[in-house]
Amino acid sequence: MRQWIYLPMTTSPTLAFTPETLRQHGLTLDEYEKIKQLLGGREPTLTELGIFSVMWSEHCSYKSSRVHLKRLPTRSRRVLQGPGENAGIIDIGDGWACAFKIESHNHPSFIEPFQGATTGVGGILRDIFTMGARPVAVMDSLRFGPITAAKATPKSELHKNHSIMEGVVGGVASYGNCFGVPNLGGEIKFEPCYSGNPLVNAFAMGLVRKDQIFYARAAGEGNPVMYVGAKTGRDGIHGATMASEEFSEGSEAKRPNVQVGDPFLEKLLLEACLEAMQTGAIVGIQDMGAAGLTCSTCEMGGRGHVGIEVELDRVPQRETGMTPYEIMLSESQERMLLVAQKGREQEVFRVFEKWGLDAVEVGRVTTDDKLRVLEHGKVVAEIPNQALTDDAPVYTRPLARWEPPVSREMPQHIRLNQTGDLTDSLKRLLASPNICSKRWVWQQYDHMVQTNTVEAPGAGDAGVIRIKGSQRGLSMALDGNGRWCYLDPRLGAMHAVAEAARKVACSGATPVGATNCLNFGNPEKPPIMWQFSQTVDGITKACEELDVPITGGNVSFYNETLGEGIYPTPVLGVVGILEDVHKAAKMRFAASGKAIILLRAAAAGDLADVESEFGSSEYAKQILGALWGYPPELELEREAALQHAVIELIQQRLVDSVHDCSDGGLAVALAEKALPNGVGARVNFASDGLPAEFALFGEDASRIVLSCDPDKVERIQLLAGEHGVSADVLGETISERLEISLDGRVVVSAAVSELSEAYEEALEAALRAEPETVAADASHG
């Protein structure tokens, strides 16, 4: 019978924790008193204090967001697993299920861009294959500070932004390419508020048979608990705590809090885990992500309503002299915790030995619902699982309505229609950082590995992959608009959901599930929590109306540096199902002589509304240098009708190109369709009495640009009408030129090659403008 030697755990203190020590662990005095209460009145050991600090951190406990996240819709007939596991899962038919999740790695990517990004990708991939799913695609949503010279941007900040961007992109590419998963693109935006807090949100998707899903739950008294994968080091200690606080001038000294990734080892870990699962000997499995061994043990035990006991002497270590505190809190990468069936240990060991990985029995399942940690036979930590999970603090933070310091009406100094020719304005807009081609980024990603990719980065509104062995496919898209959420968080969040779903619909797929990454500032500030609450309300409303449940996600708070926060930035990842992947729609114009149609669901507002909404557009910010007003109005019932209509049009093969009309408005959408093949357009539409800039560059919601054979126009208009959607003929495709007329007057006329030059070369030109920054960034790779 096993004998334990307990360290003294009496009601008298074993350690005197000063307020400074508690502050360093991210704990308040009230939280410390609650810890003692949950431990039966005794003081915690240092190891226990560290365990509580990471499990009660904002990053792990969601203590400020949990009360709001409960409002999100999480169920549908397709949802097999909602929030609460490593990834959400939806039923996609034919016995298959899709696991998907989005996570942030913002703080590590600011401190160490390359490694922060690599471990962000590695972590989200482990979340997918922990569920028994093989990862089949990734995307990323990235936010950086300005990379083009401007009076308001100091040269030192510009250098820093270049360095962070190159390091992050290099890290994303390195890990995904080496691991062997296609990157289907995503989105990249630039705003001054992200200079001190870049956002790196990684979105991954995997496939699993419905009857082969695994869960992160321990079960079975006496079953062995196994540690598999890489050895434990001192990297990443208190990474979760670091991600739960603002940045200060000394934050870059926290490089040891950033883990170091090894994509080749993770590839071996993937194959070994999936093979071990096939033996039938695995009861439960969890990734050692944030909070490392601590999180995986107490959460697996908590979900299974059992206890887990681990003996740290057995944990594989790559450094000598590691303390229990360091071993339990290390966030070294490429590690998993398994619970296997007793008596079948050798089956599991053989699999991991085959793949050259450590696999060690480090503990066992107990029935006392406690996490028990031993070193040299002595108990160094003994905590009820519930104390670390369900009993973690939950705060209903105060809310205070906040208005951005911008005018809600168009400033009087703005002058429109000065020249009558907006060709140069279109070129400038196409070259602006938020709209220009991101080819420089996407060319670093391998998008064809696994040979399932149907739509590559930049080729469509969404990424599309086929499911081998069937005609079916999956579509995935990302969207977030921090500037719109800054102006109106509820409406901006509704737009993020709607546009991500619209992108999926534009590929021909039916949106069926969503995951969200909610990036915000300090939750202890009432205006930030008001923004967060409003955002959750907006996501809830849009997901309910569009029938797209949230299956999980991530909250990233404390995105502030020296008290300056980011825009409220919810990022939505949406997954859709294509019944026939061969019917996936293309974005680009394919040939001359095709009719061009604008599908539109939104009703036009009056002039005052249009002026106000125009102030939130890329044109207002980039060309006019001003920001005002509100995001465009969004009628969700009409948006749903538009998406249903375009999906039906695509499935009936009535259209040959489809593109969402969003950033930059109708003129940019037409240009983006023209550039890939050099097939232009000649269009003419009514201004409805609005200034030409409003008609061309306004970003009204719920619009899609189509092209089709002229003899199909009538059928398209008939079907659109059945959905309550207008389908207006704008013109026709022509060879190598884009001509846009308003009320019969030409306002844009340019060769497609001229527009392509502005669009394709802008990002690289901005990076080349500071060559010393590129050289300096070599240290990140």
Side-chain angles (χ1 to χ4, degrees):
M1 183 175 177
R2 189 185 308 248
Q3 296 293 318
W4 299 313
I5 301 174
Y6 285 82
L7 289 179
M9 292 186 180
T10 65
T11 54
S12 60
T14 57
L15 285 172
F17 296 119
T18 65
E20 176 61 18
T21 300
L22 298 181
R23 188 197 66 77
Q24 291 172 350
H25 283 77
L27 294 166
T28 67
L29 289 173
D30 287 342
E31 287 173 345
Y32 184 64
E33 289 302 317
K34 183 175 182 179
I35 288 171
K36 291 196 294 184
Q37 176 188 345
L38 292 170
L39 291 176
R42 66 174 175 84
E43 298 278 344
T45 65
L46 178 60
T47 300
E48 289 173 331
L49 186 74
I51 288 172
F52 272 105
S53 76
V54 292
M55 290 306 299
W56 284 15
S57 68
E58 190 72 60
H59 187 77
C60 291
S61 73
Y62 289 59
K63 57 189 175 186
S64 298
S65 59
R66 209 184 302 182
V67 295
H68 300 285
L69 297 177
K70 290 178 180 179
R71 303 198 294 270
L72 293 170
T74 60
R75 297 179 181 180
S76 79
R77 63 182 180 84
R78 289 189 178 272
V79 173
L80 301 177
Q81 177 62 55
E85 271 284 347
N86 288 290
I89 299 184
I90 54 172
D91 185 346
I92 59 174
D94 294 338
W96 285 101
C98 173
F100 59 99
K101 178 82 172 292
I102 189 169
E103 284 268 3
S104 65
H105 231 227
N106 305 334
H107 287 65
S109 299
F110 174 73
I111 293 173
E112 175 46 67
F114 185 89
Q115 293 296 348
T118 63
T119 49
V121 175
I124 197 66
L125 289 171
R126 287 195 301 280
D127 282 341
I128 299 303
F129 71 76
T130 295
M131 305 299 295
R134 179 174 292 276
V136 292
V138 294
M139 279 185 159
D140 44 86
S141 175
L142 310 177
R143 299 287 189 281
F144 303 109
I147 59 167
T148 52
K151 290 181 181 179
T153 308
K155 192 171 183 180
S156 60
E157 184 176 307
L158 199 64
H159 285 192
K160 181 70 173 176
N161 293 339
H162 280 217
S163 179
I164 290 174
M165 178 181 174
E166 298 222 9
V168 165
V169 171
V172 169
S174 174
Y175 206 99
N177 294 354
C178 294
F179 179 85
V181 62
N183 189 312
L184 304 186
E187 55 163 16
I188 304 174
K189 297 289 179 68
F190 303 88
E191 295 283 358
C193 67
Y194 302 115
S195 286
N197 291 271
L199 302 185
V200 178
N201 294 179
F203 176 28
M205 178 170 70
L207 284 173
V208 60
R209 297 298 298 180
K210 282 175 59 177
D211 58 356
Q212 296 177 8
I213 298 170
F214 278 78
Y215 298 96
R217 299 170 192 163
E221 181 183 6
N223 274 341
V225 175
M226 297 182 179
Y227 172 116
V228 300
K231 290 178 169 61
T232 295
R234 289 188 170 93
D235 53 325
I237 293 174
H238 270 298
T241 308
M242 177 198 69
S244 305
E245 62 186 17
E246 295 182 24
F247 282 131
S248 64
E249 291 178 350
S251 289
E252 293 203 31
K254 296 184 177 181
R255 289 183 187 272
N257 291 143
V258 180
Q259 314 94 319
V260 177
D262 183 344
F264 295 106
L265 196 152
E266 176 134 326
K267 172 63 173 173
L268 298 176
L269 186 62
L270 160 73
E271 299 298 344
C273 286
L274 294 183
E275 186 174 330
M277 291 171 180
Q278 292 301 311
T279 66
I282 304 299
V283 175
I285 178 170
Q286 176 149 330
D287 161 39
M288 290 190 217
L293 188 56
T294 287
C295 186
S296 55
T297 48
C298 70
E299 288 192 351
M300 284 188 77
R303 290 192 188 105
H305 303 290
V306 296
I308 288 184
E309 169 200 314
V310 293
E311 301 189 30
L312 298 184
D313 300 338
R314 300 182 182 179
V315 173
Q317 300 164 45
R318 67 168 183 263
E319 300 184 46
T320 59
M322 290 189 70
T323 66
Y325 182 99
E326 292 172 325
I327 295 171
M328 290 302 294
L329 270 60
S330 168
E331 294 183 10
S332 294
Q333 295 291 284
E334 291 84 41
R335 303 179 302 159
M336 308 283 270
L337 198 70
L338 313 178
V339 174
Q341 292 182 16
K342 190 173 183 179
R344 303 186 66 180
E345 296 89 343
Q346 291 306 316
E347 295 178 57
V348 179
F349 291 149
R350 279 195 295 270
V351 171
F352 284 90
E353 182 181 1
K354 166 188 169 182
W355 292 97
L357 297 174
D358 281 321
V360 180
E361 183 179 342
V362 296
R364 66 188 184 95
V365 176
T366 65
T367 58
D368 57 7
D369 294 337
K370 291 181 180 179
L371 166 62
R372 184 177 297 109
V373 182
L374 294 89
E375 183 195 39
H376 308 319
K378 298 180 180 179
V379 176
V380 294
E382 187 173 81
I383 307 171
N385 287 320
Q386 190 169 336
L388 297 171
T389 54
D390 295 345
D391 289 338
V394 176
Y395 296 123
T396 303
R397 305 270 191 197
L399 312 178
R401 183 181 178 85
W402 181 83
E403 287 290 327
V406 299
S407 171
R408 291 304 194 178
E409 298 179 354
M410 188 169 73
Q412 293 184 351
H413 73 273
I414 298 295
R415 294 289 180 267
L416 302 173
N417 280 336
Q418 296 297 296
T419 65
D421 185 351
L422 293 171
T423 303
D424 185 61
S425 293
L426 175 57
K427 290 179 182 178
R428 289 174 61 195
L429 195 56
L430 288 171
S432 64
N434 286 344
I435 289 179
C436 72
S437 170
K438 307 306 186 296
R439 188 181 303 276
W440 177 86
V441 175
W442 295 332
Q443 280 186 333
Q444 298 182 52
Y445 302 157
D446 186 342
H447 65 270
M448 290 306 296
V449 65
Q450 298 186 18
T451 65
N452 293 322
T453 304
V454 176
E455 285 296 338
D461 291 312
V464 179
I465 64 160
R466 67 188 175 103
I467 301 174
K468 282 180 179 166
S470 77
Q471 286 198 318
R472 314 184 94 216
L474 290 172
S475 175
M476 64 191 300
L478 282 171
D479 190 73
N481 194 320
R483 187 166 69 245
W484 283 6
C485 288
Y486 171 76
L487 294 173
D488 187 327
R490 185 177 186 275
L491 181 53
M494 288 165 56
H495 274 288
V497 177
E499 185 166 346
R502 193 184 316 131
K503 287 177 177 179
V504 167
C506 284
S507 72
T510 300
V512 293
T515 178
N516 57 2
C517 198
L518 308 180
N519 307 274
F520 286 78
N522 187 339
E524 298 164 48
K525 298 178 179 179
I528 300 296
M529 281 311 298
W530 177 81
Q531 290 176 336
F532 184 84
S533 178
Q534 288 287 296
T535 295
V536 171
D537 285 345
I539 293 173
T540 299
K541 177 68 172 175
C543 286
E544 288 174 344
E545 291 289 342
L546 299 178
D547 194 21
V548 182
I550 297 290
T551 63
N554 174 232
V555 176
S556 175
F557 277 133
Y558 295 98
N559 290 288
E560 297 197 10
T561 297
L562 301 177
E564 293 296 320
I566 62 166
Y567 284 157
T569 311
V571 175
L572 272 294
V574 172
V575 170
I577 299 172
L578 275 157
E579 296 298 331
D580 185 349
V581 75
H582 301 97
K583 294 182 179 180
K586 305 296 182 183
M587 181 183 83
R588 57 192 177 274
F589 289 140
S592 301
K594 303 289 186 176
I596 299 172
I597 294 176
L598 177 65
L599 280 189
R600 181 170 56 187
D606 60 31
L607 180 59
D609 290 337
V610 176
E611 283 186 353
S612 174
E613 293 173 358
F614 189 71
S616 68
S617 68
E618 285 289 335
Y619 189 92
K621 184 75 184 292
Q622 300 294 338
I623 308 302
L624 302 179
L627 179 66
W628 74 87
Y630 294 89
E633 193 54 53
L634 175 63
E635 297 185 36
L636 289 167
E637 288 186 11
R638 291 173 177 263
E639 173 69 36
L642 175 76
Q643 293 184 23
H644 293 151
V646 76
I647 292 168
E648 189 170 346
L649 291 172
I650 294 168
Q651 295 309 310
Q652 291 193 22
R653 297 187 184 271
L654 294 176
V655 297
D656 56 25
S657 76
V658 183
H659 186 26
D660 170 35
C661 183
S662 55
D663 295 346
L666 182 55
V668 166
L670 289 166
E672 289 175 337
K673 289 175 72 66
L675 300 180
N677 290 339
V679 176
R682 181 182 295 114
V683 301
N684 179 36
F685 50 94
S687 67
D688 296 324
L690 300 174
E693 289 89 341
F694 289 11
L696 264 62
F697 306 116
E699 297 176 0
D700 298 351
S702 308
R703 296 185 299 168
I704 295 172
V705 182
L706 314 174
S707 65
C708 66
D709 291 334
D711 61 2
K712 294 179 180 176
V713 170
E714 187 174 343
R715 289 176 61 195
I716 289 172
Q717 290 178 325
L718 181 63
L719 190 150
E722 292 174 357
H723 288 274
V725 173
S726 64
D728 303 319
V729 178
L730 301 182
E732 63 177 352
T733 58
I734 61 174
S735 178
E736 299 178 347
R737 195 161 192 85
L738 179 62
E739 291 186 2
I740 302 176
S741 298
L742 281 178
D743 305 320
R745 177 174 62 90
V746 176
V747 290
V748 169
S749 181
V752 172
S753 59
E754 294 177 43
L755 301 177
S756 180
E757 183 178 354
Y759 180 75
E760 293 290 350
E761 297 182 7
L763 186 60
E764 281 192 78
L767 294 173
R768 284 198 305 267
E770 300 289 340
E772 65 271 31
T773 302
V774 178
D777 188 59
S779 62
H780 292 306

